[in-house]
């Protein structure tokens, strides 16, 4: 039972150490606990250990967990971090707090139209295909300004920043490169139009295997799954998962 809490504590230690190395304040990086493939009971345990932000990849799995944890709903922030088809936006707009994986204007438009007036605007990150892999979701960096401008104009969305899932790399310097590129993209966007983009505050990058590299390059939210819950027991569709991640 103590394992999830211990692993969470260890992730906060990793974040603190990386922040210290980077000369950043520890509270400038938040932990998003990625609970995909793990049951609601595991989320409950992480909540008991003090965590409040949870990431899910698959819409239906996320909705099931949100329903099972309805008693905690007001305390939790639910983040969709996996691909979202534009015909599945409605339940996401109604149930989630964040979507990190927006890479089409049509999806964003539907999320905005379908976001209930009774809820605050849905927080949005635009997903960038930062390593240029053919198999990966996300827009090309060159397409960012146009999409960002269009999404920023949608009334029921709040554009927060950028997200990426870089190609896995074992070497630390190689891990830093795509994170540095994503941070640069956000900085350039903010500089391009400070009134429109100056408030963007989120760099969603860094997973179990590359948390330190991401924090060194400016991550504000790291998405950690297997280092907290252990290896996922059924196949995951995300091609970047490193099987060498320590649990
Ligand atoms: C699964 C997943 C994570 C967490 O990955 P771990 O290596 O288990 O920490 C983070 N982000 C996305 C988009 C994922 O799909």
């Amino acid at each position: 039972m103590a394992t999830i809490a211990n692993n969470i504590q260890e992730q906060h230690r990793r974040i603190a150490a990386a922040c210290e190395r980077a000369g950043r304040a520890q509270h400038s990086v938040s932990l998003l606990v990625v609970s995909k493939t793990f049951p609601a009971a595991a989320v409950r345990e992480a909540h008991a250990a003090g965590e409040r932000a949870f990431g899910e990849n698959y819409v239906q799995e996320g909705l099931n967990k949100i329903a099972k944890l309805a008693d905690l709903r007001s305390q939790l922030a639910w983040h969709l971090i996996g691909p979202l088809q534009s015909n599945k936006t409605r339940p996401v707009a109604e149930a989630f707090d964040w979507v990190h994986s927006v890479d089409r204007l049509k999806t964003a438009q539907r999320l905005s139209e379908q976001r209930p007036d009774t809820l605050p605007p849905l927080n949005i990150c635009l997903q960038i295909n930062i390593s240029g892999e053919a198999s990966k979701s996300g827009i090309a960096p060159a397409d960012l300004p146009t999409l960002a401008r269009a999404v920023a104009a949608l009334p029921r969305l709040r554009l927060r920043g950028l997200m990426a899932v870089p190609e896995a790399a074992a070497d630390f310097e190689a891990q830093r490169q795509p994170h540095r590129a994503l941070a640069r993209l956000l900085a350039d966007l903010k500089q391009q139009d400070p009134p429109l983009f100056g408030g963007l505050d989120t760099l969603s990058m860094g997973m179990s295997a590359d948390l330190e590299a991401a924090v060194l390059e400016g991550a504000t939210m790291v998405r950690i799954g297997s280092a907290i819950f252990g290896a996922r027991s059924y196949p995951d569709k995300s091609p970047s998962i490193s099987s060498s991640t320590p649990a």
Side-chain angles (χ1 to χ4, degrees):
M1 277 306 263
T3 311
I4 287 176
N6 290 345
N7 290 345
I8 285 171
Q9 202 175 29
E10 171 61 15
Q11 303 320 302
H12 286 295
R13 261 199 301 277
R14 290 175 71 190
I15 291 170
C19 282
E20 186 169 325
R21 181 172 166 188
R24 302 179 55 193
Q26 188 184 349
H27 69 249
S28 65
V29 181
S30 65
L31 175 61
L32 178 63
V33 178
V34 175
S35 45
K36 67 170 181 244
T37 79
F38 291 97
V43 173
R44 221 174 258 290
E45 227 176 298
H47 168 267
E51 298 307 314
R52 296 294 180 265
F54 294 90
E56 288 287 333
N57 276 61
Y58 311 112
V59 172
Q60 195 52 51
E61 181 188 344
L63 294 171
N64 292 346
K65 248 171 264 185
I66 292 169
K68 280 193 174 150
L69 296 163
D71 57 310
L72 301 178
R73 185 65 189 90
S74 65
Q75 296 177 41
L76 301 185
W78 287 100
H79 297 235
L80 183 71
I81 61 175
L84 174 58
Q85 292 164 326
S86 62
N87 63 350
K88 291 211 186 132
T89 50
R90 184 174 297 279
V92 172
E94 291 174 352
F96 281 80
D97 302 290
W98 286 69
V99 177
H100 291 227
S101 47
V102 169
D103 62 0
R104 287 182 72 194
L105 180 56
K106 186 176 174 200
T107 306
Q109 285 168 332
R110 292 174 66 99
L111 287 170
S112 182
E113 284 162 15
Q114 295 164 347
R115 181 68 168 173
D117 286 333
T118 49
L119 296 176
L122 184 62
N123 295 291
I124 299 292
C125 289
L126 302 179
Q127 185 172 355
I128 311 291
N129 185 355
I130 200 69
S131 303
E133 295 166 274
S135 62
K136 282 282 175 68
S137 315
I139 58 167
D143 297 331
L144 173 60
T146 306
L147 182 61
R149 213 163 269 287
V151 169
L154 294 170
R156 299 293 295 137
L157 303 186
R158 180 173 171 206
L159 182 60
R160 297 295 296 268
L162 306 180
M163 181 274 236
V165 184
E167 192 171 18
D171 167 65
F172 189 65
E173 287 308 314
Q175 285 181 353
R176 288 180 67 167
Q177 267 184 29
H179 296 118
R180 189 178 314 154
L182 193 73
R184 167 60 69 88
L185 274 179
L186 182 64
D188 286 351
L189 188 67
K190 291 172 71 158
Q191 201 178 25
Q192 239 179 55
D193 191 339
L196 194 56
F197 299 129
L200 300 193
D201 60 4
T202 303
L203 270 175
S204 166
M205 59 185 194
M207 315 197 330
S208 293
D210 60 4
L211 178 160
E212 285 81 5
V215 168
L216 269 181
E217 298 299 341
T220 66
M221 195 182 290
V222 292
R223 309 180 307 265
I224 308 296
S226 50
I228 292 173
F229 296 117
R232 284 177 286 274
S233 59
Y234 62 84
D236 183 81
K237 291 172 197 154
S238 170
S240 74
I241 300 308
S242 155
S243 54
S244 62
T245 300

